[in-house]
Structures are given as structure tokens and as C-alpha cells.
Amino acid sequence: MMDKDSAVLQGAFLLSDKLCLPTSLVSVQKDDWSRVGQPILEAVREICGQDFSGHSNPTAVSWKKQIVCVVWLKLLCREAEEDVEVAWRENPLFSLQNSLPEVNRVVLLELVKSVSAAHIFASFLLSLPQPQMCSELEKLTEHVMSNPMREDDVQLFLEVWWELWKGRDDQKAGGEDNIEMMFANQCARLSSKAASLSPQAAKKLKLDTPDLPASNTDVVHILFHALKDMKDHISSADLCFQSLSVSLSALYTAFLIDQEVVVPAKEKMHILCKVISTRERNNQELNPELIRETLRDFRASHMPSQFQPSRMKLSEALKIIAELAQFWQSRGLLTVHDTSNPNYTAFQLEQSVQRLLTALDQTPAAVGENNDQETVKKTLRGLLKSLALPDMESSPEVSVKVTTTIITHRLEDYENFAALFASEASWAACDERWLDCLEKNQAAFRQHGTLISLSSTLMRKLHSGSSNVNQCRKLMKITADIFSALSLEDKNKMLAAQLGLSSRGFFGSSVPSAVTEGFEQELNMAFNCIIQGGAGASAAALQGNLNTAASLVARVAFQNPEAALRSCCHSAVFNKGAFSLMAKILQQLPGLRGQTGREDEAQKNEEEIQAGEESTAEGRDAVSGSSLLCRCLQDMIRTKSLLANEREQLLKFLGLLMMPVAVGEGEEERQSFLHPQEVVHSFVLPNLSAMGHSSVDAELSLQLLHTALSVDVQGPASSPHWVLNCSPFPLLFILARLHHQTLRCWEQPPEDAVHLFSMDTKDLLVMVLTTLGQVVGAEVAADPSSWSRALFWLYSKMEELDWTVRFHLKPVWGQHFKNEVPSSLLAVCDLPEEEWSGLDLPSYGPGTGLLAWMECCCISDSLQSTMLSRLSLDQHKPDHVNMFSKGLLVALTQTLPWCSVSQWSRLLKALKELILSSRLHIPFSLEYVDYLPLLDLRRFSYELRLSVLLLRVLQLLCGSSCSDWLSVDGWAHVGRLYTHAVRDVINSMRAKLPLPSSGASTVSASVSPKRPASRGSNPSLTPVKASNMSEDHQTEDSPLISQESHIEKTAPSQEVLFVLSQLFCHVQHVQVMMPGGQCEPLFLSSLEILSHYEAIMAAFPESCSPLESDNTRHFFSTITDNLENQEMKAVLQQKIAQLVSSAA
């Protein structure tokens, strides 16, 4: 069923067929078309519109394509003598096709010429197999050259040629592909039908098939020879220009290039502007279709042809070109009469000649063809000279106009034109049109290089000083919007590139204040939203918030990386709990890491090693500034004094940034935002090398070094540890020297010196020194020959320091050196000579062996084990044990003040071993008891003896001979250490007599309350039994032996109260003795003892009678009266008053 347009077309063809009477359209001749073709053309004009020769109307183009297709298939079906019964089933256009009268090739080609459908005819040709295409091209040339031959016939031939070279229009492909595919399928069906016929029937066919042996399948050969045959019939300059231009471009693309010639966008734009200007002078209005076709022409001239010659040689093609040029030149047809206003064809010819000459100069001539090629070159140079076209310069306004059209309509190569558009500073001067294009076509500017160019252009405008502020702000917003639309991966690439331009982004130089204020508002708003959005959200919401936060930070970081990182650092350190969120955000933005550019320093040369720690300070400032984040943190630390919680947040923040994380979703590779090596170079080496300056926070540097060493950085298995790039041996020496200084930390420094370390830092320093030593030691052990010089350098530097420091570097020494200790130690310890050697040290004369022994016990657990096992002591000789015990008391007095908490804990373990093995004799006198208690205290001998030992040590230390050893801070430290030992004793008592769950809340309970076996027995002599609850839950099958075993493991409560009372008296005694008498840790220990005393009285009522509790309160109050601090005394006496027995 036909529609109206189909009916109009059918009627027109029938009318034209009648006009042919007494013949028909099958036999119409070329010169008859002007008479019989008018009804058809009128019908096409009615269907497609008045301007049916245009290319811009999609409906008209579609109809013209359908009309040409139907007419062509009608012709082919007639030539193939197709059966109607088959056609109506297999031909989609059968209805319209069958309604038309039979036609010949004159009708088809004259229709194509009349309705300017050369591009449609070429598109159908391109859908055919090449043999059939060549057959159709030969028929086209036959028709063009048939009488009467006019210039519009030649024009049709040239247009079809050039459309073939331009190839398929990919930008218009889509729905139109369907009709071309249908045409190709029908042609293939007709061809296969022809091939299957009998030889007699096939002779009747006029349709050429691909199998004919005489057919020419070389498209280039057909076209060049056809043009050669037409030369006499071409009499206008424009047609000569067009003929030579097309043939030269065809020769260039078919013979002289094998890949696309890439022309820079700027050069391409220059050529385009010339073409557009030329066409505008010829009354062709600038529009997207004009630019699109110009771009296709340009591409066809620089892309290898899809039609590779098979019969024709380069020399033959060059001869034809030379013959044509000489022939037309001799007739005066190759001269431009108005050089000030050349037409488009002349310009195209000039471009084609220039391309061909350049290519010929670069292509060596074949043997025997050199003279021919030189002749052609001479002819072409003469042609180029005769054209003499002026060099047209295009204005920025025209360039912007053309480029804007290309970008807006997404024409061919628009992305490269967008990059050019973004980079041209002169185009940016066309503010409104330029900005409008950017704003409306942001997606076209998301390519990496394009956005970088746009950023550079924005920076130039901002820093020029003469730009419109509002336009600058608008441009900055557009640029940031383009960046915000990128994927996270592309954002990171852009951030890294932006850092390469300037660490301050768009604000690298002087910027108008209005622009700066606008950015600061955006920056503050972004971080306020991040901080407020991170609280109280679910896991899914937190992930969404994190993605949003990362995008917000990325946006402001793109505009000013340094400002964004400073805000990140400030939020991480000063906003409670924000360090984790900020670290996660930065881990999603590895582009902000920038380039460190640090060289591998794993193998230190001899000069660097011998320069020692002095060389560490030199040359580090440049390295420490390599990371923008590190610089921001350094400035913040330098300008602000951090509180304890802020320091902790800083450490956690850097620790998280040093942790390796997956760089992208689903990726196995893990990277850290901040490499530990970078942290060490930025915060540790410069600070530790500049010790002695009041601005240096040594403790923070050590904490950062410890955090960095704790990070598990997974590098290649064969690569050395990153710490080898941080001058490890000078660093070890610096740390060792600092440790040496802590051994004298209570000595009064000179007036102008800075007191760097407290004893609280000593443990951290030892931990860092040990960890670093283990890492370096592993590398030395793996390749000892490479590190021998550095090893001996470090060992020689150790001679300046205390002898104990060497033991912390034992992993570094390995088996290279013996353990060197004071000679006096060898007198009290049986140590093998092959591993140990003595040193004659002035500070360690005769009788100091136990002092050295005790110092060794503090260093490490393994060394303490060696000291205990190798101790030379004959326990069978009482005088030896007595002398050892007295010497140990003195040595402990000398060692205690300079112990860190961990060293003191280790030393208490050694004392416990000595006490329990009866090597250390400590007489216990009942100096706080008027009458002998009937108690069994053997189970508490260790606690009582340790308490007495510590009392004796403190008595010596507080005596007149030692009272000037320590500063106020030193006495406070001694108080903390003594309190630590007291707490150990209290915990031991808790373990021996656990409180029931209903007991005092201050003590954890693991066993139920105990009660006496019988009401009239002496509780101090009667073992405690299980509680009522335990009895209620016992079964008849419970063996009695298990109850007795449990009873024996539980300490009597009265004995525990007695030990606690002795401990309280000792603590009070020490507090009264200590200078100032206001040691808060001792005061708190006294309160803890009283609280535990009260809890036991409550849990075991029979352990203390009312009379005994009254006596105890009186006795404790008397002891406490000696305290000078009235507030402490009042609190303790108030607590003592609560010690009331609950026994009936």
C-alpha cells in the first residue's frame, strides 16, 4: 500500500514514460532527459521540498536516497530478468519499485545529476563489492562521455569520485545504513541469481557479475583514465582546478601514504579558516554542515585511500597528472584571474599540489623513473606558481566562531579542537563567545590535556591584572565544574598535573581579591559540610559521605592544592576524630601526592658515612619540601603548639596515610598516600639533626619514626628496605647519642642548653632504636660485604657513648663484635671470653660489678636471662650472700632513678627471681608492729621482702649522701617508679585473695566470698572454705579432695590485711622522706591500699574484729599525721575512718 509521496512519484514516472512515446524510458537517450525528465524532477521537488539539491534537510536526503535506490534496483532487476514471484517476497521496496515503469541507466544517472545526489550514488557504490563497483563506475564514465557531453556531466563524475574517496559519512550513519544495506543485499541476491543461471541464459544478462574475467577491478585506474579521456571536454578554470585537485589527492592517498597524516589542530584550524573564508566570499553561509563537509574533505586528503591500485603504477598516474596540467595550462585554464578573491577549488588545488610535492620529495623514484618524476615536479611547481594565491590570515573571532561550531555540534575531531580552543590565549580575549562555548559544551573539555590547557589559560587571565573579575570567577567556576564531572581516576590525574603547574593552582601569583574571597568561601563551606556530614551516619551513608567528601576536596584542591591540603591537615589535627575521615579522603586522592623525585640512596658512599650525623642535616631541607602535604604539616607544627590530643591525632593521621591501600576498586596494587620514607625525610631527619634548638619537638619526631617503622610497606621482594634511603647509619648514631643523653637526664643542663628529653621518652627511644637496628641488621646480614665500612664507622662512633647503648644495636653488630662491658662485671658474672670482653672505664672501678650487672638486666629480657644464669654467687656461703645483698642494695639505689618504666618492670622481674631463689637476702623486721601477730606470712614473703627492699633503697636515696642527685622532675620520676612497684605488690595480693563479685567495685572478683569453718575458731589459723553459693551448688558426687585443693590455693584474709597494713606504712614512710612530701602517685597508692583493705574487711567480716579495726584506724591515722600536705592528709584520714569491721 503506497502513501501519497509514493503515488506522486509513480505518477511522475508514468507521465515521463508517456512523454517518451512512441518509445519508453527504457530507451530514452541522454539529450531527451531535459524533455522527458521534468515530471520526475517536479515530483522529487514536491516530495523533498523546493531546495531538493541541498544536503542539510534529513527528510529530503532520506527520500532522495530511497528514490535513487528504487530506480537503481528497478534497473538491475530488469537487467537480471528477475522473476516477479520472487521479487515481491524478497524485495522490501517491491511495492514502489513495481509501480514504476521500466527505466535505463540514462534515467538513473541523469536523475542523480539533476537532484545533486552524487553523494548518495557514491554511498550506494561503497556498499557494493569492488568488482561490481568498478563495473558501475565504467558505466558511469560511459554515460558521462556519451553525447552530448557537458560540463555538468564532468562535475557529476568528479563529485562521485571525491565522495568515494571521502568514504562513508560516519556521523550521518544510523538509520540511513539500513537502506544501503538493503541495496547491497538486493544486489548480492541478483548477482547470485545471475551466477546460478545456465550459460545460455546468462548471455542474455546485461548485469555485470564479479566473475567476468575481463572486468577491471582497479578503481584508481578506471577513474584516472576516464579523466584523461575527458580532458578535451573541460573548458572552465573551476572544473580544471577541481579535476586536478581531486586527482592529485587521489594519487597522494593511494600511492604515497600508508597511514593517516596527522595534522596538528592549530594547523588544521588555520586551513579550515581559509576554506571557510573562501567559501563565505562565494556566498556560502557558515553553518555546521559546511564545516562538516570541509572536515570530511580534509580527512579524505590525509587518509590512505581504501582503493589501493592493482593495475596502475605511480609513474603512470604521475604522467596522466602532468599531461592534464600541461594540456589545460597550454589552454590558459589554470590561471586565477582574481587572486584577491580566489575560489574554493583553486585553494583546494594549491593544498593538493603542496602535499604532493612534499611527498614526492620524500619518496625516492624507482629505477628509470627519476626523469619522469622530476618532470612532474617541475610541472607542479609551475602550476603552484601560476596559482599565486595570497596567504590569508584568519582573525581570532573567525577561529573562535569556527571552533565553537565544531565543538557545539560534535563534528569530526572536536576533542582536539576543544584542546586548541582551551589553550589559545588570543581566543580567550573574545570573552563572551569563548565563555559561552565553554559553559554550554563542558563535556567536550574533559580530556586530560584539554583541561590542563584550560587551567593554564585561566591562570594567565587571572594573573594578567587586566581581566574582568566577574568573567574570571565565571571561568573558574566553569573549569571547576568540568573537573567535578570527571571520574575519580581522571580527577587524580588532573590533580597530579595541576600540582605540576603550581602547588597553589590558580592562585600561584597575584589574584584579584574578589576571586580569592570567593574561593575561600567555597573552601570553608566544603570542609564544614565534610565535618558535619561525618557524624552519626550509617555505614552506607558514611561511604556515600566519603565519596561526596572526596569530590568536594578534589574540587577545591584542583583550584588550589596547597589550600585544600592545609585545610585537610587542620581538620585532621584540630577537629576531634576527624583524622580518620581526612585520611580516607586523601587516600582516595593519590593525585595530591605529587612527584617526590627522590633518588635511591641505599648505598651510602664513604664520604657520606664518615660525615656522620652532620651530613644528615645538610641537603635534607630540599627533600623535606618535596611533599606538599608534609610542607603543610610542617608549617602547622612550626606555627602552632599542639596539645596532647592534637599530637595524638596528628600521629594517627600520618599513620593512616602511610598505610598502603588499594589505589582503585578491584585493584590488587596497594599504595600509601604518604610513604614512610617521606615522613622520615620531612619530620625526623631534619629535627633530630637539629637537636638543641628549642623549636624542635624531639618526642614527636621519635613518635613519627616509630609509626613509620611500624608500617608494613609491601615492596618487591628483592628491593631493599625503604629505611636504607634515609641515611640509616647516621640516623642510628643520632638515636644512640640521644639515648646516651637520657642516661644523664637528671643532671642540670648548662644555662643556655635546651632540656630535650624526659624519662617518659626513654622507652620510646629504646623501642625506635631497637626496631631500626633490627631492620638495618637484616639488610646487613643479607649483604655484609656492602655494609662493612658503614658498620665499622658506626661501631667506632659508639666509643663516644655509654657502653650500654651498644647492646641496643646488637641486631646490627650480629657476630661481628664481642659484647664489651665494664671489667668489673666480669668479676661478678661468669661470661665466656669468646663472646664477652672487658672495658676499663673510669666510672666502673672495683666494687661496681653489681651496678653494671643490674644495668645489663634493664636492657633486654634476653640479656637479663644471661645475667641471672651467669651470676657468680655461692649460696652455700652466708657471707657471700650477705655481701651480695648489701652490694645489690647499693647498686639498686644507683640504678633506680635512671630507669624508664619498662626497664624498672624488667628489673623488678630480676629482683623477684633473686628473692624467690634465696640469692637476695632481705631481713624483715616488724618495726610497725608492737606485738607479734600469730599469722603464717610465708606465702607473702616475696611481697613483704620486696616492700622492705624498696623502703631501704628509698631511705638510702633520700639520705644526706644522695639527696642532691636528683632534680624535682627526677624525684617525681622516682615516685612514679616506686608507685609502679607498689601496684605490682597490690595486684599480687589481689591474685592470692580474689574478692567475690559482691565485693568492692574497685577490685575485680573471680572467687566467691569466704567464711570461717567454725564460729569459735581463730580465723587467722583456719583455712578459708568455699562460700554458701558454692556449697549450694555442690553435688553429692563432688569429691572432697577438690574442695580441699581449692581451699589450699586461697590465701587467709587476715594475713592479706597484715601485708597491706605493712605496705601502707612503707608507702607513707617513703612519702614523708621524699623531698617536698607531695608526690601525688604515692598518695594515690595509699588510697588504693586503703580501698583494697576496706574491700577485704567487707568481703571477709571475720578477718577483723571491731577492736582490731579500731586499733588499725588509730595506727593508720598516727602514721598519716606525719604528712606535710594537709589536703592529702585530710583525704587519707577520711578514708581511714571508713575502715569499720562489719563482724557481729
Side-chain angles (χ1 to χ4, degrees), residues 684-706:
V684 179
L685 295 181
N687 290 353
L688 295 184
S689 301
M691 297 300 291
H693 294 78
S694 58
S695 61
V696 173
D697 190 339
E699 184 175 359
L700 179 60
S701 298
L702 288 176
Q703 289 171 326
L704 287 171
L705 179 56
H706 178 253

Side-chain angles (χ1 to χ4, degrees), residues 808-948:
H808 294 293
L809 297 178
K810 182 64 178 172
V812 181
W813 312 138
Q815 303 301 319
H816 292 276
F817 305 100
K818 289 184 177 182
N819 297 317
E820 294 183 312
V821 294
S823 299
S824 58
L825 176 60
L826 302 180
V828 300
C829 246
D830 182 17
L831 299 171
E833 293 183 1
E834 61 271 13
E835 298 179 14
W836 299 78
S837 63
L839 294 172
D840 293 328
L841 301 176
S843 302
Y844 291 84
T848 59
L850 285 178
L851 173 61
W853 182 89
M854 192 159 285
E855 289 176 337
C856 285
C857 287
C858 295
I859 293 174
S860 68
D861 292 337
S862 60
L863 191 55
Q864 181 188 104
S865 178
T866 301
M867 292 295 105
L868 288 169
S869 62
R870 295 284 183 172
L871 182 62
S872 301
L873 178 63
D874 188 352
Q875 291 181 253
H876 298 290
K877 295 181 180 180
D879 56 333
H880 283 201
V881 176
N882 278 328
M883 288 297 293
F884 170 76
S885 300
K886 291 177 182 178
L888 195 75
L889 177 64
V890 175
L892 184 57
T893 305
Q894 293 174 287
T895 306
L896 170 62
W898 286 273
C899 283
S900 65
V901 174
S902 65
Q903 289 175 328
W904 178 237
S905 299
R906 195 174 289 121
L907 195 53
L908 287 174
K909 285 173 58 181
L911 293 175
K912 183 175 183 179
E913 174 69 22
L914 292 174
I915 292 173
L916 295 178
S917 63
S918 301
R919 285 183 280 184
L920 179 58
H921 176 61
I922 305 170
F924 183 78
S925 59
L926 300 175
E927 52 193 275
Y928 299 105
V929 181
D930 294 330
Y931 304 101
L932 179 66
L934 298 178
L935 301 172
D936 183 5
L937 301 175
R938 285 175 299 179
R939 297 183 59 186
F940 307 98
S941 62
Y942 162 66
E943 289 82 4
L944 289 170
R945 287 176 180 175
L946 178 61
S947 184
V948 170

Side-chain angles (χ1 to χ4, degrees), residues 773-812:
Q774 290 171 347
V775 172
V776 176
E779 297 291 338
V780 171
D783 188 13
S785 59
S786 299
W787 298 101
S788 58
R789 187 182 296 272
L791 202 62
F792 280 96
W793 171 83
L794 181 61
Y795 195 83
S796 66
K797 298 292 284 185
M798 291 294 107
E799 295 176 0
E800 307 169 12
L801 309 180
D802 189 85
W803 65 273
T804 58
V805 179
R806 285 196 188 95
F807 282 97
H808 294 293
L809 297 178
K810 182 64 178 172
V812 181

Side-chain angles (χ1 to χ4, degrees), residues 286-339:
L286 175 63
N287 57 60
E289 184 63 25
L290 176 62
I291 296 176
R292 191 179 69 83
E293 288 302 319
T294 305
L295 285 170
R296 289 189 66 213
D297 289 342
F298 188 90
R299 183 169 178 269
S301 303
H302 294 81
M303 181 76 73
S305 173
Q306 61 176 310
F307 304 108
Q308 292 301 309
S310 58
R311 292 176 58 176
M312 191 169 222
K313 304 298 181 185
L314 173 62
S315 57
E316 184 182 359
L318 287 172
K319 285 179 182 178
I320 292 175
I321 292 291
E323 181 182 338
L324 292 174
Q326 290 168 358
F327 178 77
W328 288 327
Q329 207 160 20
S330 65
R331 300 180 66 176
L333 295 175
L334 296 180
T335 303
V336 178
H337 300 291
D338 185 3
T339 56

Side-chain angles (χ1 to χ4, degrees), residues 985-1049:
V985 174
I986 298 173
N987 290 336
S988 175
M989 303 303 295
R990 286 191 178 120
K992 290 184 177 181
L993 182 62
L995 292 174
S997 57
S998 59
S1001 60
T1002 56
V1003 184
S1004 63
S1006 60
V1007 179
S1008 301
K1010 311 299 181 292
R1011 63 188 179 96
S1014 62
R1015 185 174 288 275
S1017 61
N1018 186 345
S1020 65
L1021 299 177
T1022 307
V1024 182
K1025 293 170 62 178
S1027 67
N1028 290 334
M1029 183 182 292
S1030 299
E1031 290 174 358
D1032 292 339
H1033 286 81
Q1034 290 174 3
T1035 64
E1036 294 180 359
D1037 297 331
S1038 299
L1040 183 60
I1041 188 170
S1042 65
Q1043 298 180 35
E1044 293 174 352
S1045 174
H1046 176 72
I1047 291 169
E1048 289 176 0
K1049 291 180 180 178

